[in-house]
Amino acid sequence: MKALIVSAILLLAPGAVLAAEGPITEARQLAELKRYDDAVAVLNAAKAQRPDDAELRLTLARVLSWKGDYRAASAELAGLPGAEAATIRGNLAYYQSDFATAQARYTEALTIAPEFDEARDGLTRVAAARAAEGPKWQVDAGTEYSGFSGSDQPDWNQQSVQITRRFNANRSAAHLRLVRYSQFGLNDGEVELGLAGRLGDRVSVYASLAGSPDADFRPEGRMAAGGAVRMTKSVWLTFDGRRDRYAAARVTSAAWGMRYEPHDGWALSSRMIRVSPSDSDAQTGYDLRLDGTIREGLRFYAGLADAPETVAAVTIDTRSAFAGIAWDMTQITTLRAGYGRDDRENTYVRHGFHVTVSHRF
């Protein structure tokens, strides 16, 4: 998208054909070849001779914005009035997915010069980008039931509600999650706050805090963080860390692994897992997971794990198998369902079933 904007400006900008503006013409030609550093050097040399030349500064701000040096471009625009300066400020905001600011700057430019086509085109791009963003809010409501074999453990169940707000052109999100757990004949509640986001096209991160007031079996507090780094077009390295604070112990978990995405809608993930309780030796394990697309609007996942699991502050090696589906019932509503089997060593075998409905608006 940025390349199309650059090409259009280079073709339409009137200064590109004026011989008197030699440095500007040369810089635009270099920019068209994506030789942005050379274009910046030409403009800076000319600016040293004519520091108050507004046209030079505007062109330099444009080239810096195309180069991706948004801070320097913004600094170059400082104090410059007029429709073109306002439009370039709008472009800077648009390139960074700040569509509200971009719209305000393009509108400002049209207030100054109602026939300024570049600003009008900018408003059209902003409208299209906002339409492509889709819903900003999501509500997830779910329930889970667990039965046991090999043990007289009473059945477990839990209910949860999560509200998520997306922002920054859907590159970031914040959520609030409320969960009620019924286990061991007792009830605990938990509140979780979390943030997640993408840092460019190669890095994603997340962090969350959770707590269970007056907990009987859940952690009294929990901190979690992690992320992924894209190494190639289809390979990501992942890391997840977590620390649970129980009344009787502290449990630190770390998992690191790789995710391979051979095609859109398909991924194979593998992680090594290490769990370190404060009251016993560290234990290690692994998990494997496959995500795929059956058809448009219908996805599945399946996996295996042999890893330590902490329940009520007790960490025991557990072998697990799990699978599930996600069905887009409409463009804004998704149904998820799944099954998991946990064989907790010398303790019990748990069969868990869960259903979640997600609605976006």
Side-chain angles (χ1 to χ4, degrees):
M1 175 60 74
K2 186 189 291 187
L4 292 175
I5 298 172
V6 172
S7 298
I9 293 170
L10 290 171
L11 288 172
L12 296 174
V17 296
L18 296 180
E21 298 181 356
I24 293 176
T25 301
E26 182 181 358
R28 284 178 170 144
Q29 291 171 345
L30 290 168
E32 192 169 14
L33 297 172
K34 297 186 178 181
R35 293 171 56 185
Y36 299 125
D37 289 336
D38 292 337
V40 169
V42 168
L43 292 168
N44 276 329
K47 183 183 167 188
Q49 302 298 320
R50 293 180 283 167
D52 297 325
D53 190 318
E55 185 65 18
L56 276 173
R57 291 179 60 191
L58 289 168
T59 305
L60 180 55
R62 285 191 186 277
V63 174
L64 288 167
S65 74
W66 299 335
K67 181 185 173 184
D69 193 345
Y70 303 131
R71 181 174 298 180
S74 181
E76 199 61 48
L77 292 170
L80 287 178
E84 186 173 3
T87 299
I88 298 173
R89 293 186 182 99
N91 292 343
L92 286 171
Y94 177 82
Y95 295 155
Q96 298 174 84
S97 300
D98 184 356
F99 300 133
T101 299
Q103 180 172 335
R105 297 291 78 79
Y106 291 141
T107 301
E108 176 189 346
L110 289 171
T111 300
I112 299 169
E115 303 303 322
F116 200 72
D117 288 341
E118 186 185 345
R120 195 174 302 281
D121 291 343
L123 285 178
T124 301
R125 291 194 304 271
V126 167
R130 282 183 155 171
E133 281 186 302
K136 296 183 181 297
W137 291 90
Q138 178 172 317
V139 175
D140 300 276
T143 185
E144 180 174 335
Y145 166 81
S146 295
F148 295 85
S149 58
S151 169
D152 58 359
Q153 180 76 239
D155 295 346
W156 294 358
N157 65 79
Q158 71 181 61
Q159 296 78 40
S160 64
V161 175
Q162 178 171 311
I163 301 173
T164 302
R165 173 65 161 87
R166 296 183 178 85
F167 52 96
N168 190 24
N170 285 345
R171 298 177 67 85
S172 305
H175 75 260
L176 167 66
R177 187 168 188 255
L178 306 175
V179 190
R180 175 189 177 275
Y181 297 91
S182 179
Q183 300 175 6
F184 310 106
L186 302 169
N187 295 317
D188 272 351
E190 184 176 85
V191 179
E192 177 182 283
L193 295 171
L195 289 171
R198 299 200 305 271
L199 307 178
D201 296 326
R202 299 176 62 87
V203 179
S204 63
V205 295
Y206 73 88
S208 65
L209 293 172
S212 297
D214 195 25
D216 289 309
F217 53 87
R218 293 292 300 172
E220 295 176 342
R222 183 179 73 243
M223 298 184 297
V229 178
R230 184 191 292 273
M231 305 304 294
T232 69
K233 182 179 179 181
S234 56
V235 175
W236 294 77
L237 296 182
T238 64
F239 175 78
D240 303 280
R242 172 171 157 172
R243 182 170 175 82
D244 294 336
R245 176 173 55 83
Y246 293 90
R250 306 290 187 269
V251 181
T252 302
S253 307
W256 53 96
M258 183 181 74
R259 184 170 72 248
Y260 174 55
E261 300 175 349
H263 302 288
D264 288 343
W266 289 85
L268 178 63
S269 306
S270 175
R271 300 187 305 166
M272 296 298 297
I273 301 168
R274 180 182 175 88
V275 179
S276 304
S278 61
D279 58 353
S280 61
D281 294 337
Q283 302 178 45
T284 59
Y286 69 89
D287 65 16
L288 299 169
R289 173 171 169 143
L290 173 67
D291 291 84
T293 300
I294 300 171
R295 59 174 174 80
E296 185 176 358
L298 184 61
R299 301 170 298 282
F300 77 94
Y301 68 87
L304 299 168
D306 187 349
E309 177 193 44
T310 302
V311 176
V314 179
T315 302
I316 295 177
D317 187 62
T318 303
R319 293 185 176 181
S320 304
F322 51 89
I325 62 168
W327 172 38
D328 294 331
M329 302 169 63
T330 70
Q331 290 186 339
I332 58 174
T333 303
T334 299
L335 173 68
R336 295 179 175 84
Y339 164 76
R341 181 184 187 275
D342 296 332
D343 186 348
R344 192 166 163 90
E345 189 175 71
N346 300 323
T347 307
Y348 57 68
V349 175
R350 182 173 73 94
H351 304 272
F353 304 86
H354 68 85
V355 176
T356 302
V357 176
S358 302
H359 184 71
R360 298 169 290 280
F361 58 96

